[in-house]
Amino acid sequence: GESVGLHLPTLSVQEGDNSIINCAYSNSASDYFIWYKQESGKGPQFIIDIRSNMDKRQGQRVTVLLNKTVKHLSLQIAATQPGDSAVYFCAENRDSSSGSARQLTFGSGTQLTVLP
Amino acid sequence: DVKVTQSSRYLVKRTGEKVFLECVQDMDHENMFWYRQDPGLGLRLIYFSYDVKMKEKGDIPEGYSVSREKKERFSLILESASTNQTSMYLCASSWARLSSGNTIYFGEGSWLTVV
């Protein structure tokens, strides 16, 4: 079956270091990807998105890289801070041009822990 | 900022009770969603609405129904709550077509415990 998954369920980094969270997808038809941050007890918060016609997009302290050849997505967080501790998960949309977001599929997430 | 508001954050209901979860969005979004989030299972789509009074079943619609009488409001209904419906429920909304800058936004979640 098709899936959106994450390479590691947990990731610990030192405060101030850069974090890299990975996501694999298997559907080559996916054309839109989103990264979310979810803090304990809260709803997912949009971080950054990228369309399949791009291979890199930057936001504030975050960069998303898309490698369509190997169907891999990564989220890089620069100078990780304690407030970055959360679950991060990716989502893929298989056909965002169809007018339906029904095709959105979510990964199960990676728990990022920032160590002092 | 987009705001998706779920009216109840924490609920405890008895088996067999009828449960209403309400969601309101303030961005005039066409699409609204109800997801369920369980440990190890990620987010699973229960129902999806793309317009007022329009709905589509998601991946796990059994035991649930929805109502969308107004564009900004999407309700999830558990006709007869069961213990296996204990979960975190997430409402979301989006424009009709997803693209950079027009993404899907979530509410803060409703934790439902059925005893």
Side-chain angles (χ1 to χ4, degrees), chain B residues 12-49:
Chain B
V12 179
K13 298 291 182 181
R14 295 192 181 278
T15 300
E17 276 194 81
K18 191 168 186 176
V19 182
F20 292 89
L21 298 179
E22 305 284 342
C23 176
V24 176
Q25 50 95 3
D26 65 355
M27 282 298 291
D28 203 34
H29 283 161
E30 291 90 351
N31 295 336
M32 295 190 75
F33 310 81
W34 275 106
Y35 289 91
R36 172 177 171 162
Q37 187 176 33
D38 299 289
L41 297 178
L43 273 74
R44 293 180 291 168
L45 181 63
I46 303 172
Y47 265 99
F48 161 59
S49 170

Side-chain angles (χ1 to χ4, degrees), chain A residues 51-113:
Chain A
R51 291 199 64 86
S52 58
N53 60 355
M54 300 174 71
D55 54 17
K56 180 179 179 179
R57 191 160 188 236
Q58 288 184 289
Q60 191 173 20
R61 281 201 307 121
V62 295
T63 301
V64 55
L65 299 177
L66 176 62
N67 186 331
K68 294 181 285 294
T69 302
V70 296
K71 299 188 186 66
H72 183 266
L73 191 68
S74 68
L75 176 71
Q76 300 179 3
I77 305 173
T80 312
Q81 302 168 359
D84 294 328
S85 292
V87 173
Y88 291 81
F89 58 90
C90 62
E92 64 171 325
N93 200 63
R94 283 175 234 173
D95 184 11
S96 58
S97 65
S98 70
S100 170
R102 168 75 174 81
Q103 301 298 323
L104 206 60
T105 305
F106 295 88
S108 54
T110 291
Q111 173 69 58
L112 175 66
T113 301

Side-chain angles (χ1 to χ4, degrees), chain B residues 16-18 28 40 50 52 56 60 65 76-77 85 91 96-97 113:
Chain B
E17 276 194 81
K18 191 168 186 176
D28 203 34
Y50 52 92
V52 175
E56 277 188 22
I60 52 164
S65 63
L76 180 70
I77 303 153
Q85 292 178 309
C91 176
R97 282 178 168 75
T113 301

Side-chain angles (χ1 to χ4, degrees), chain A residues 12 20 37 59 79:
Chain A
S12 296
I20 300 176
K37 172 187 180 182

Side-chain angles (χ1 to χ4, degrees), chain A residues 5-8 11 20-24 35 72-75 90 110:
Chain A
L6 290 156
H7 291 306
L8 295 171
L11 176 66
I20 300 176
I21 301 169
N22 297 303
C23 185
W35 278 102
H72 183 266
L73 191 68
S74 68
L75 176 71
C90 62
T110 291

Side-chain angles (χ1 to χ4, degrees), chain B residues 6 10 15 30 39 46 54 59 65 76 80 86 92 94 101-103 109:
Chain B
Q6 295 183 230
Y10 302 96
T15 300
E30 291 90 351
I46 303 172
M54 306 304 288
D59 300 317
S65 63
L76 180 70
S80 177
T86 292
S94 77
N102 292 326
T103 192

